[in-house]
Amino acid sequence: MILTKFGHACVRVQDGDRTLVIDPGTFSGAETALSGATAVLVSHEHADHLDVEALRAARARNPALTVHTHAALAAELGEGAVAVAAGETFTAAGFTVKAVGGEHAEIIDGLPGCPNLGFLVDGLYHPGDSFFVPSEEVETLLVPASGPWVKIGEAITFVRDVRPARAFPIHDIHLSGIGLEYFDAWLEAETDYARIPAGTSVDL
């Protein structure tokens, strides 16, 4: 299984002719990420996780493209969107996926207060905008590195609680070069950790 990191929170998972994209947002080069995909997982509706225009263009090129997300967003997206709920297991692009979590991490005063699904894909965990710890074993964790709801201590606690075999950072566009190095230094002490440069891949 090949994992490719695009900008910010977007990754693509490929295994042979199966291609699945998670959270193709406006900071991610979503049009490139979506090329050749047969299914998309979207954790929630924020633009850094969902580029609606790029998604519409991808569906125009491939009307069979399916988009799996929480019910409210699926209703908004319309044709091709499939509503899934936390705890549900389903198939997307030939991969077995389990949706977990359910709520976006709080910034302050209960905000943003929107649904958020994390996705487990064959041992890979993308939490969206949350630090939800699933009960399932996680082989590869995508750990959020920055954002208005992220504190480095919480990211470290998240890794300790999930106990993955390896971890790679996502949700990192808010950090400068120095900030990225600082985050990496802390996480390297916790698990088998490495940064995937945008546009490059690792074999899981």
Side-chain angles (χ1 to χ4, degrees), residues 6-11 22-30 42-52 104 116 126 128-129 146-149 170-174:
F6 288 85
H8 195 49
C10 179
V11 298
I22 308 175
D23 280 5
T26 55
F27 302 152
S28 302
V42 179
S43 62
H44 65 291
E45 57 266 37
H46 292 162
D48 59 329
H49 294 256
L50 172 61
D51 185 332
V52 174
H104 192 291
N116 176 91
H126 189 306
D129 276 9
S146 69
W149 53 276
I170 58 168
H171 212 274
D172 51 10
I173 201 167
H174 308 91

Side-chain angles (χ1 to χ4, degrees), residues 31-79:
E31 289 187 9
T32 302
L34 290 165
S35 178
T38 53
V40 181
L41 310 178
V42 179
S43 62
H44 65 291
E45 57 266 37
H46 292 162
D48 59 329
H49 294 256
L50 172 61
D51 185 332
V52 174
E53 293 306 315
L55 189 59
R56 285 176 179 162
R59 275 196 47 77
R61 293 190 301 270
N62 176 18
L65 180 70
T66 56
V67 183
H68 304 261
T69 188
H70 66 78
L73 181 54
E76 190 176 318
L77 291 174
E79 188 176 358

